[in-house]
């Protein structure tokens, strides 16, 4: 493999089984992830986590903070930024409760996995420091699902700052994967006074890295990534400041990207629409592998 594309060895067999009608696709779970940016003298850097090699899904891959939507993420919260009607249309979901749940998941997961909180005491403020034993106790309670995000915000008298997020992309895990996610990617700038830390039990390393540097590591086969991660990194690398990327979020296409597998001239072809670099050709024989 000439690059760092995450490609599980069991995929060819699962793709063949799906094509033969022997595999039933599971419904994807909704999820959210945040590309957290900060400015450096060399340009914006993005915060990334390396998933532990022991993880069943994408072990060893570099990802952004994120995770699945909690059913409690739709509970009413104090809200600032675009109204839920706008978020519903932007995210392409069926109702405002679903839109709120996705945005809340993005903010909650960023706090759970990176210790960064996109919320403030007022609609135009943001907390400046989330370190300390009391903050850590609340973060741990969120991770353990002992505390809902709505309860957390209410306890601290905080307003969720949806205006600090920009919806960037939407990718759906391929139908042949046993664990599937319908994931919205957001972009945000690191709030002043806050700092990231490796707060995730799923990651063994965190790093601030310029998008073009991360993409170069992927191209050399040094950094392992899934297609949506490297695809979003390539676009982020075009911007000279975090504010520029955030301002560009409204123009990003949120049409869901879902891998397609088809039979073509004696081989299975796996592709992601609009992203030709990820196309894989898989011989139909039992010993075939991707190329």
């Amino acid at each position: 493999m000439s690059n760092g594309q995450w490609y599980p060895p069991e995929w060819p067999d699962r793709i063949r089984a799906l094509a033969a009608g022997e595999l039933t696709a599971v419904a994807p779970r909704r999820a959210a992830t945040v590309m957290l940016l900060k400015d450096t003298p060399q340009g914006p850097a993005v915060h990334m986590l390396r998933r532990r090699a022991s993880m069943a899904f994408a072990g060893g891959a570099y990802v952004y903070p994120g995770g699945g939507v909690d059913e409690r993420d739709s509970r009413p919260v104090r809200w600032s930024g675009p109204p839920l009607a706008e978020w519903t249309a932007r995210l392409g979901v069926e109702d405002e409760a679903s839109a709120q749940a996705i945005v809340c998941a993005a903010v909650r997961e960023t706090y759970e996995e990176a210790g960064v909180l996109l919320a403030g005491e007022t609609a135009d403020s943001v907390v400046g420091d989330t370190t300390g034993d009391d903050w850590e106790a609340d973060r741990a309670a969120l991770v353990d699902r002992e505390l809902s995000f709505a309860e957390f915000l209410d306890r601290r008298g905080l307003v969720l700052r949806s205006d600090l997020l920009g919806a960037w992309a939407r990718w759906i895990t391929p139908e042949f994967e046993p664990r599937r996610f319908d994931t919205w990617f957001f972009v945000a700038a690191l709030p002043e006074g806050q700092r990231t830390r490796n707060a995730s039990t799923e990651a063994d390393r965190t790093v601030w890295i310029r998008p073009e540097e991360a993409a170069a590591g992927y191209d050399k086969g040094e950094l392992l990534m899934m297609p949506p991660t490297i695809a979003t990194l390539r676009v982020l690398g075009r911007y000279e400041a975090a504010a520029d990327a955030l301002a560009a979020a409204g123009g990003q296409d949120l049409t869901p990207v879902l891998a397609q597998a088809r039979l073509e001239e004696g081989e299975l072809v796996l592709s992601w629409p609009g992203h030709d670099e990820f196309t894989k050709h898989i011989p139909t024989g039992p010993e075939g592998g991707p190329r």
Side-chain angles (χ1 to χ4, degrees):
M1 184 167 58
S2 59
N3 58 29
Q5 184 175 340
W6 178 72
Y7 192 93
E10 66 271 16
W11 269 15
D13 287 342
R14 295 190 65 85
I15 293 170
R16 294 187 194 100
L18 181 67
E22 301 167 353
L23 181 68
T24 301
V26 300
R29 178 187 177 190
R30 284 180 170 171
T33 188
V34 176
M35 302 177 291
L36 194 62
L37 302 174
K38 72 174 182 179
D39 289 321
T40 76
Q42 293 76 38
V46 63
H47 182 67
M48 304 190 76
L49 300 78
R50 185 176 66 187
R51 290 175 61 82
R52 295 184 184 277
S54 58
M55 298 299 296
F57 181 79
Y62 280 80
V63 298
Y64 311 116
V69 171
D70 185 328
E71 61 181 13
R72 300 174 299 173
D73 286 331
S74 60
R75 292 181 181 178
V77 298
R78 291 201 292 169
W79 182 275
S80 69
L84 282 171
E86 289 186 22
W87 277 111
T88 302
R90 177 64 177 142
L91 300 179
V93 293
E94 63 277 9
D95 53 45
E96 293 184 1
S98 297
Q100 181 193 296
I102 293 165
V103 173
C104 279
V107 177
R108 175 180 54 75
E109 287 285 344
T110 302
Y111 180 55
E112 289 182 9
E113 296 202 332
V116 170
L117 184 60
L118 303 177
E121 294 182 354
T122 64
D124 57 1
S125 68
V126 62
V127 294
D129 185 8
T130 61
T131 60
D133 292 344
D134 59 333
W135 284 102
E136 181 56 26
D138 279 351
R139 193 197 65 79
L142 286 168
V143 172
D144 294 337
R145 299 300 180 259
E146 297 172 355
L147 185 68
S148 73
F149 195 59
E151 291 168 335
F152 165 72
L153 292 176
D154 185 60
R155 173 187 295 182
R156 289 187 169 270
L158 296 176
V159 180
L160 185 148
R161 291 287 307 275
S162 77
D163 54 314
L164 299 181
L165 286 169
W168 193 269
R170 181 181 177 185
W171 287 67
I172 303 176
T173 309
E175 292 180 332
F176 46 81
E177 260 290 296
R179 298 183 63 194
R180 302 186 63 215
F181 297 93
D182 183 355
T183 304
W184 281 262
F185 287 70
F186 295 86
V187 65
L190 178 69
E192 185 177 353
Q194 294 193 38
R195 59 181 184 272
T196 56
R197 62 185 187 276
N198 184 7
S200 173
T201 59
E202 299 179 353
D204 61 10
R205 184 190 183 208
T206 62
V207 63
W208 281 101
I209 187 171
R210 290 184 297 113
E212 55 269 37
E213 182 182 350
Y218 168 90
D219 290 336
K220 296 174 184 176
E222 297 171 353
L223 301 182
L224 186 67
M225 298 180 199
M226 292 178 283
T229 309
I230 181 60
T232 50
L233 280 171
R234 295 205 193 283
V235 181
L236 283 177
R238 303 172 186 170
Y239 300 97
E240 297 182 355
D244 296 336
L246 197 58
Q252 302 301 314
D253 185 3
L254 261 63
T255 301
V257 179
L258 174 64
Q260 298 176 350
R262 65 185 186 277
L263 185 64
E264 185 177 285
E265 297 181 357
E267 62 183 8
L268 287 168
V269 180
L270 175 61
S271 62
W272 281 258
H275 301 273
D276 292 343
E277 74 167 294
F278 306 128
T279 299
K280 295 291 184 183
H281 296 261
I282 305 163
T284 55
E287 302 302 323
R291 61 178 176 83

